[in-house]
Amino acid sequence: MKRGDTEGVSIAPRAIPAIALLITTWLLMWLAQGIPTLCALANPCPAPDVRVAPALLFGGLMLVPTAALLLTARAGRSWGWVRTISYTLLVGLAIVGLGAVLFSGGFTIPLAL
């Protein structure tokens, strides 16, 4: 790595999208805790706190790619592959985590049969 590779590179434009995605997902997971659960006729109703475990699991897992993005924010192009993988993991965990939180409480998509 050359000496001039890290000079003049600001952390803010590279770190703000990752932090914004993390905080937005955490906020949506927190707001999803108040959505009422559906009770099926054949199954008992889920517990009121059934959405807490997936929110904690995926919210915690999202810290790993966010930390990798923050650590490589000043790196040059040689660390671009780490940033690409970290963004992919961060977005994937956000989508899967929000789905897990919503569907764990009985939120369903009606299927026409």
Side-chain angles (χ1 to χ4, degrees), residues 25-83:
T25 305
W26 279 357
L27 181 66
L28 289 174
M29 285 182 183
W30 178 65
L31 290 172
Q33 302 300 319
I35 296 174
T37 57
L38 290 175
C39 299
L41 293 175
N43 297 325
C45 283
D49 60 346
V50 73
R51 292 186 176 116
V52 174
L56 291 175
L57 175 69
F58 285 100
L61 285 175
M62 287 176 64
L63 290 174
V64 175
T66 304
L69 287 167
L70 293 177
L71 289 174
T72 60
R74 286 202 115 166
R77 293 193 182 266
S78 61
W79 287 91
W81 63 274
V82 174
R83 297 188 55 77

Side-chain angles (χ1 to χ4, degrees), residues 86-112:
S86 297
Y87 267 118
T88 304
L89 281 173
L90 186 62
V91 170
L93 285 170
I95 292 170
V96 172
L98 286 171
V101 168
L102 288 175
F103 287 108
S104 66
F107 178 80
T108 60
I109 298 173
L111 299 173

